[in-house]
Amino acid sequence: MKARHTLLTASLLACVSTAALAQVQPPKPAWMDTSKPADQRAAAAVAAMTLDEKLGLVMGYTDPEQLMKEPDDIVSPAIKADVKANHIKGSAGYIAGIPRLGIPAQWQTDASIGVRVSGMERTALPSSLATAASFDPKITEMGGVMIATEARASGFNVFLAGGGNLAREPRNGRNFEYTGEDPLLTGRMTGGLINGIQSQHMVSTMKHWAVNDQESQRTTVDATISKPAMRQSDLLAFEMIYDLSNPGSVMCSYNLVNGDWACENDYLNNQVLKDDWGFKGYVMSDWGAVHSSAKAAKAGLDQFTGYPCCGHHGAFFSAKTLKADIDSGAIPMSRIDDMAERILWPLFAKGVVDNPVKVGPIDFEADANVSQKAAEASLVLLKNEGDLLPLKAKSIAMIGGHANKGVMAGGGSSGVTPVGGNAVPGLEPKSWPGPVVFMPSSPVEALKAAKPEATITYISGDNIKKAVALAKKSEVAVVFVTQWMGEGIDNPLELPGNQDALVAAVVKANPKTIVVVESGGAILMPWADKTPAILEAFYPGARGGQAIANILTGMVNPSGHLPISFPASNAQLAHAEIPGFHKPDGIRVGITYDEGAAIGYKWYDVKGFKPLFAFGHGLSYTTFATSAPVATADGPNDVSVGGSVTNTGKTAGAAVMQVYVSPADWQAAGWEAPKRLVAFHKVDLAPGQGQNFTAKVDPKLLATYDETTDSWVVKAGVYHVLLGQASDNLPQSVDITLPESRWSAVH
Ligand code: BGC
């Protein structure tokens, strides 16, 4: 009896302890099983959701104050309360999580150069165009890691970064947010940034999809362009970003493309992105860029984000609207499931679910060093006659550009509030897309610290006579010129105000004048001929002043190369006028991109124009010699190119080898222009040191797109492979012969 009792007790105990254990450790639901692939986890999570939970994922919110004014049947009181409690004040957007299933909220922050939350001080990288000038994807990747670390420590898990629009229109006011005029350069540089961001368990977008190449009338302009031209230019750049970095999300743009809004454009979102490329993530709208519910959902939009911002047209993805569409059969339930799965896929695939964000401390000093390193790799020495730089002078006049306070930054949703605050507050425009921000990193102060033996005097440049007098009595003059760009506004290429006159007068007074340009993109330089030294600094970021000073003194050897061509005059532009330029947004205009894929240097080559400074141009304080290129071809899908470069000067420096391909007959090959960049490689070299490189060429860069068969085609023939250090300096070439070849554009 006793034995039976003991046995009973033991088995009872076993039951109890198993039950207790079961209570403590319930079996993990399938979507939390980290051994399963992300798409299976996403599908399992969606299968466990109610309709309301699914619909909660497809609509994102911003600006709680405005949201509270929305009718309750459009935005439910529960959503309002959740947004009010959890949206990070001043940030871009918020989408509630599903706590019962362990799905986190999505906290979204802008943008490509750092965390942008009004009033929250964070570290800014140089502008994206600046870091593209490094021609070194490791630089953008390192920057991506840095800004993502700050974003996570600030509570964000979705980065609205990854600008990839080509600088088709040199006056586009957002060119500073993008990475230049060439698909390969953009692919690798923006791809590097996204890789860096997503390595930190964040989702990054690539944006603004697509052909969002002007800011004038950005929410109403219809871009007309042929499919082959689009596939070989704007979309090719995005395809290369996608191939390299697999972004979790793609942000569709405000404009129309060939008659359909980008966010309800079946060709862009379904046929190209999802069907051809196999994109598994979600298409999110730019803020307020949605114009329909069923049409947009069926055309591939997965998430309407940023409601109720930016002159939105209606709450098209609200639960009320979508439920009505489901009931009427306008949207099949399977599409709602697909939208939810696509939103969840990157949350699993990029580690957002498994590595919840945690607000924490930020090492601003370390992050500023990253930004400085990026700037130092990116500034472009355009001209240096008579080796005026590095500076040897003992008396230096520094003029203009608020260089005594800091360096300029671009405006709009990518504008980061700098650590230490705006160095030059109060400039116009003060409101959106302002304020004009200067990073508190003064080139004058940095130069004074680096050259304590020199007499360095700063003057604003507002009064040209005074600037001239100072320049005359100094050994050298350094003039800083600035061109501010902000989202939503295109810019003329002329410098604003009296700056051209200032430079001309100072150069006349002192022929030893160096001009430092802080610009969003290309500018005209009517004084370039007479000016012996020009340094293009773009918007050089949090430590830009230090980086400029280090390059001026030679502490750092410049190694940036232009990611865009600088036109010699407006007459060289593909479009004399931008429709709707400097008129209030909202006028329905059209732009026909009849230059097709011939963007930037390709356009100059087609036209036989000589730009002021060519794509890929950039000087160093040392000299480099490139060998003859080497190229092997085993059919178009297996072409390798390369060569070697040697530092032939006395200073350590970094060379950028650039390889272009040019068909013997480019028109017969069907190309848009005589040559295309197919490979580039940056390498640090000590004096006398040399290095080889080889790279495999993406076959799309040798091909044209055939719309009727959705395929890429290479025409048989002879192709010259050119190696050099700029698109207009390619002294060496070798020929390859390619057979006719065709392959499907479906990945
Ligand atoms: C911009 C996007 C940005 C979004 C959220 C829009 O105005 O075009 O680039 O991500 O706002 O701030």
Side-chain angles (χ1 to χ4, degrees):
M1 179 70 193
K2 194 167 176 222
R4 257 191 74 207
H5 179 79
T6 321
L7 249 178
L8 203 72
T9 319
S11 56
L12 257 177
L13 266 175
C15 281
V16 170
S17 61
T18 326
L21 209 74
Q23 256 182 14
V24 180
Q25 288 178 324
K28 268 196 181 164
W31 59 91
M32 285 308 195
D33 181 348
T34 51
S35 68
K36 286 201 157 65
D39 38 7
Q40 284 180 25
R41 294 177 70 184
V46 171
M49 283 181 190
T50 64
L51 177 60
D52 280 322
E53 284 169 342
K54 293 174 198 169
L55 296 180
L57 289 174
V58 302
M59 182 92 177
Y61 303 94
T62 188
D63 194 351
E65 222 172 276
Q66 279 302 317
L67 196 65
M68 298 312 135
K69 297 180 192 150
E70 293 288 302
D72 284 356
D73 63 333
I74 298 291
V75 183
S76 72
I79 291 179
K80 286 180 185 169
D82 185 67
V83 175
K84 203 170 174 187
N86 295 309
H87 171 263
I88 299 176
K89 193 168 180 287
S91 69
Y94 170 79
I95 295 116
I98 308 170
R100 108 182 153 86
L101 302 178
I103 305 298
Q106 295 158 59
W107 286 278
Q108 303 167 318
T109 183
D110 283 304
S112 306
I113 65 159
V115 177
R116 174 210 164 73
V117 176
S118 36
M120 192 190 268
E121 297 187 357
R122 291 293 179 265
T123 309
L125 289 168
S127 64
S128 301
L129 193 68
T131 48
S134 73
F135 271 70
D136 183 356
K138 289 195 297 299
I139 290 290
T140 51
E141 185 165 349
M142 175 187 82
V145 169
M146 183 277 276
I147 62 175
T149 313
E150 288 202 359
R152 281 182 61 89
S154 314
F156 295 102
N157 52 18
V158 178
F159 227 131
L160 311 176
N165 296 89
L166 291 181
R168 172 187 289 281
E169 169 51 72
R171 295 160 295 189
N172 177 357
R174 296 189 88 171
N175 279 344
F176 74 96
E177 295 188 51
Y178 306 137
T179 46
E181 67 189 28
D182 179 78
L184 175 67
L185 183 68
T186 287
R188 292 189 63 197
M189 302 309 291
T190 300
L193 180 92
I194 294 174
N195 275 332
I197 293 173
Q198 294 195 151
S199 72
Q200 301 306 301
H201 307 306
M202 291 197 82
V203 173
S204 176
T205 58
M206 68 177 185
K207 69 184 190 181
H208 306 87
W209 173 253
V211 204
N212 181 189
D213 295 345
Q214 70 171 59
E215 285 299 281
S216 304
Q217 313 307 324
R218 68 169 172 160
T219 64
T220 42
V221 62
D222 186 2
T224 299
I225 181 168
S226 78
K227 285 178 183 164
M230 195 170 11
R231 294 299 287 260
Q232 289 167 214
S233 58
D234 297 72
L235 300 198
L236 181 58
F238 280 115
E239 188 168 6
M240 293 194 156
I241 300 171
Y242 172 74
D243 286 348
L244 282 165
S245 64
N246 198 7
S249 181
V250 172
M251 184 189 287
C252 52
S253 52
Y254 285 121
N255 53 298
L256 301 93
V257 179
N258 293 334
D260 272 323
W261 300 102
C263 291
E264 53 180 49
N265 195 306
D266 180 71
Y267 178 71
L268 290 177
N269 303 325
N270 283 337
Q271 295 180 43
V272 178
L273 187 63
K274 293 180 178 176
D275 295 347
D276 275 6
W277 301 354
F279 174 62
K280 285 185 173 178
Y282 62 107
V283 177
M284 77 161 73
S285 71
D286 201 340
W287 269 221
V290 186
H291 296 259
S292 61
S293 54
K295 182 173 182 198
K298 285 203 280 197
L301 180 70
D302 301 299
Q303 191 182 60
F304 175 164
T305 332
Y307 190 79
C309 138
C310 317
H312 66 85
H313 311 275
F316 295 111
F317 275 28
S318 68
K320 182 181 173 189
T321 314
L322 291 182
K323 275 179 181 166
D325 284 334
I326 296 165
D327 288 347
S328 73
I331 303 180
M333 197 52 215
S334 58
R335 176 66 187 118
I336 300 289
D337 288 347
D338 179 49
M339 287 152 76
E341 275 181 41
R342 286 177 169 281
I343 294 164
L344 292 186
W345 174 78
L347 298 185
F348 290 113
K350 311 298 174 191
V352 174
V353 174
D354 304 325
N355 303 271
V357 283
K358 210 164 126 208
V359 175
I362 294 173
D363 185 345
F364 287 117
E365 183 59 24
D367 291 354
N369 286 336
V370 171
S371 182
Q372 182 177 332
K373 197 162 177 236
E376 288 172 349
S378 303
L379 270 53
V380 187
L381 183 61
L382 294 175
K383 222 182 148 184
N384 191 21
E385 277 173 12
D387 288 340
L388 190 52
L389 291 173
L391 282 175
K392 296 150 223 64
K394 292 278 180 294
S395 86
I396 304 167
M398 296 187 80
I399 301 165
H402 302 280
N404 59 331
K405 298 274 192 233
V407 288
M408 186 172 253
S413 62
S414 70
V416 172
T417 306
V419 178
N422 185 356
V424 188
L427 296 179
E428 291 295 341
K430 293 186 188 116
S431 56
W432 177 262
V436 176
V437 167
F438 275 72
M439 300 283 149
S441 174
S442 156
V444 173
E445 293 310 317
L447 198 67
K448 281 183 178 166
K451 287 181 81 70
E453 75 288 359
T455 309
I456 297 174
T457 315
Y458 174 78
I459 193 167
S460 81
D462 293 347
N463 182 321
I464 296 184
K465 273 193 187 146
K466 285 186 183 168
V468 163
L470 177 66
K472 265 193 183 148
K473 63 178 193 194
S474 309
E475 244 179 279
V476 302
V478 185
V479 185
F480 288 80
V481 294
T482 58
Q483 176 219 38
W484 187 74
M485 276 190 181
E487 181 179 333
I489 310 168
D490 293 325
N491 292 271
L493 297 178
E494 289 82 5
L495 283 173
N498 71 352
Q499 299 186 95
D500 283 335
L502 172 71
V503 175
V506 172
V507 172
K508 201 166 163 211
N510 186 340
K512 288 190 174 175
T513 291
I514 298 133
V515 175
V516 178
V517 183
E518 291 167 25
S519 67
I523 57 160
L524 296 179
M525 302 181 187
W527 32 263
D529 258 9
K530 300 206 168 66
T531 306
I534 305 170
L535 179 67
E536 174 60 62
F538 299 105
Y539 300 145
R543 285 265 186 82
Q546 188 67 55
I548 290 170
N550 284 351
I551 284 181
L552 293 179
T553 59
M555 282 275 292
V556 169
N557 193 348
S559 64
H561 287 248
L562 286 182
I564 41 167
S565 313
F566 275 48
S569 73
N570 281 316
Q572 294 186 333
L573 302 183
H575 298 270
E577 302 204 338
I578 300 180
F581 186 69
H582 280 197
K583 298 212 176 89
D585 198 16
I587 310 168
R588 286 298 285 266
V589 293
I591 173 87
T592 301
Y593 290 128
D594 38 21
E595 75 281 14
I599 299 177
Y601 63 91
K602 295 171 184 169
W603 169 254
Y604 287 81
D605 283 350
V606 169
K607 290 288 170 188
F609 291 156
K610 187 174 159 30
L612 178 61
F613 295 110
F615 173 84
H617 169 74
L619 303 175
S620 165
Y621 295 147
T622 189
T623 48
F624 300 105
T626 47
S627 67
V630 284
T632 57
D634 195 4
N637 291 312
D638 197 2
V639 173
S640 290
V641 294
S644 72
V645 63
T646 305
N647 183 344
T648 49
K650 295 194 179 68
T651 318
V656 173
M657 284 183 277
Q658 302 169 35
V659 184
Y660 297 77
V661 167
S662 171
D665 183 340
W666 64 272
Q667 273 145 331
W671 283 28
E672 68 281 355
K675 67 174 184 284
R676 296 172 176 170
L677 179 72
V678 300
F680 60 90
H681 182 68
K682 191 170 196 176
V683 55
D684 285 312
L685 295 171
Q689 194 187 2
Q691 212 181 88
N692 296 327
F693 98 105
T694 47
K696 206 162 170 323
V697 176
D698 185 323
K700 294 191 286 295
L701 291 170
L702 304 170
T704 54
Y705 176 76
D706 177 25
E707 182 183 347
T708 47
T709 55
D710 191 23
S711 56
W712 293 97
V713 184
V714 172
K715 290 268 165 63
V718 172
Y719 292 75
H720 311 306
V721 177
L722 312 161
L723 172 66
Q725 296 175 68
S727 66
D728 64 345
N729 175 16
L730 301 163
Q732 315 253 40
S733 92
V734 69
D735 286 353
I736 51 172
T737 304
L738 298 177
E740 172 102 16
S741 166
R742 172 185 292 274
W743 64 95
S744 165
V746 178
H747 286 199

